Amino acid sequence: YTLPSILTCLADFLLVPFFQTPLKKTNALIAQKGITFLNAYVPSALCCPSRASILTGKYPHNHHVVNNTLEGNCSSKLWQKIQEPYTFPALLKTMCGYQTFFAGKYLNEYGAEDAGGVSHVPPGWSFWYALEKNSKYYNYTLSVNGKARRHGENYSVDYLTDVLANMSLDFLEYKSNFEPFFMMISTPAPHSPWTAAPQYTKSFQNVSAPRNSNFNIHGKNKHWLIRQAKTPMTNSSVQFLDDAYRKRWQTLLSVDDLIEKLVKKLELNGELDNTYIFYTSDNGFHTGQFSLPIDKRQLYEFDIKVPLLVRGPGIKPNQTNKMLVANIDLGPTILDIAGYDLNKTQMDGMSLLPLLRGDKNVTWRSDFLVEYQGEGYNGSDPTCPGLGPGVTHCFPDCVCEDSYNNTYACVRTLSTSWDLQYCEFDDREVFVEVYNLTADPHQINNIAKTIDQEILEKMNYRLMMLQSCSGATCRTPGVFDPGYRFDPRLMFSNHGVRARRFSGQSL
């Protein structure tokens, strides 16, 4: 038995039905040759917490990365000490004998001076080509196995997506043929500043952001940060978000080229049939929904739902799967492929391998947790002084995308009986949002005040349980599973639960 090799491509992404994306080659080479997960999510719609969940297989409340700053544990010394030695790549290398390769964006504060600079190479990586800090396309620094390498703005040698492709091809050419390999390629695209390759800057001239039913409408029954958005948006905001959408698509064309080059190289090497290839993202993105111009960080489908495509040994072509999966499942899946005993880990996720193989009668989750701790500045934002201190990421027309009390936790449920999302906010209102996505897929109508009280109580209790879960307890039956047991008395047995659950600073 020869251990399979594994390749993962991670990109920021704007979710639309996959056949509508610019990634035509990726669709043909991965989706049509394997499986597309139709309900794949992230537990936190922000780069660093989400990437930490991928690496550790844990929810944010267990890996403790809450935002994109060193203070929020993003690539901090504490992260390096407590979490990095136990990421799935570290286990792949030390316990499973894989040669491991990383290229691209790691965590947003990677390379920060207070976190060891670019000389820090996380445990578990045989070959390390990591971007210093956040997404760029030109004029960046890479850590090449701990040594700084500066790049300029010459397209032919510096455009980061192409540089990552060339480094990956070199690895496939010169790696050892006596060990299985794992590659993680993390492209900047389509993250801002949305710098497309020169040959793609004129593409998609007629493309604009989707005008779904929640586009440019007021979120009248949502939490205050959504309610403060100006409706209708100004013409300049609409033009800005349409331009951003178009530029994001343009940057993805180079990602599409990267996927094609890697698949062709694997085929040329005779390794394609024994390699699992995963394509996914660290978050979604909104462009005008509920009159929010552009960002992520919100609890809605457009921010928390991501693509997940997989091809590999034993996966039948042109498959789709509706099971509820999350990026905390990637680590357990890859370790399972490598033959590692998942009981030896503290991961919260589940292995997708039974789903990939099409096993019958698989017992699967019906819900998972979404959690986010809002960010904000102590001072007032000069573009939005009227809202006072605590807001951030504000646009010139005073629409702010985040704040201290944009802190929430949700249970996202998908079962035969319910397609539901239940969320609670840490704010003065202790605001609750509930959506029935069967009747309202664009989450326009908050039904928190009209849904059955018993369902609200059960969802509140389930949320408490998930926010304190760890490892196997994160995989217990959800509210709509036959094995679920609910004792209302437990909701009132400890009056400190709600206070402990929310720890963000309020406005």
Side-chain angles (χ1 to χ4, degrees), residues 136 140 144 182 235 260 336 347 381 393 414 444 461 488 503:
K136 292 184 177 181
Y140 55 86
V144 179
F182 169 73
N235 290 338
E260 180 184 44
D336 198 11
M347 293 182 174
D381 190 303
H393 293 83
L414 184 62
I444 295 170
Y461 175 66
S503 59

Side-chain angles (χ1 to χ4, degrees), residues 395-430:
F395 285 82
D397 45 0
C398 193
V399 177
C400 299
E401 297 279 4
D402 205 3
S403 69
Y404 274 127
N405 64 355
N406 183 37
T407 295
Y408 58 82
C410 307
V411 180
R412 180 69 177 90
T413 288
L414 184 62
S415 68
T416 54
S417 53
W418 281 97
D419 188 355
L420 185 73
Q421 186 170 9
Y422 171 92
C423 301
E424 292 183 9
F425 277 81
D426 175 21
D427 58 17
R428 291 172 182 171
E429 301 173 277
V430 192

Side-chain angles (χ1 to χ4, degrees), residues 82 111-112 148 240 322 364 369 385 392 400 423 470 488:
I82 304 298
F240 176 73
K322 295 182 179 180
W364 200 253
L369 175 69
T392 185
C400 299
C423 301
S470 179

Side-chain angles (χ1 to χ4, degrees), residues 13-30:
F13 201 80
L14 176 58
L15 186 78
V16 293
F18 204 77
F19 61 86
Q20 293 180 14
T21 77
L23 296 166
K24 303 299 184 184
K25 300 170 186 175
T26 303
N27 184 44
L29 294 171
I30 304 181

Side-chain angles (χ1 to χ4, degrees), residues 213-214 217-222 290 299-300 419-421 431-451:
S213 58
N214 56 9
I217 66 169
H218 188 252
K220 59 182 181 297
N221 53 13
K222 294 173 168 49
F290 305 126
L299 58 91
Y300 309 105
D419 188 355
L420 185 73
Q421 186 170 9
F431 198 77
V432 176
E433 296 189 31
V434 183
Y435 299 97
N436 176 358
L437 283 94
T438 302
D440 179 23
H442 294 132
Q443 297 171 290
I444 295 170
N445 299 310
N446 178 8
I447 60 172
K449 294 182 179 179
T450 59
I451 196 170

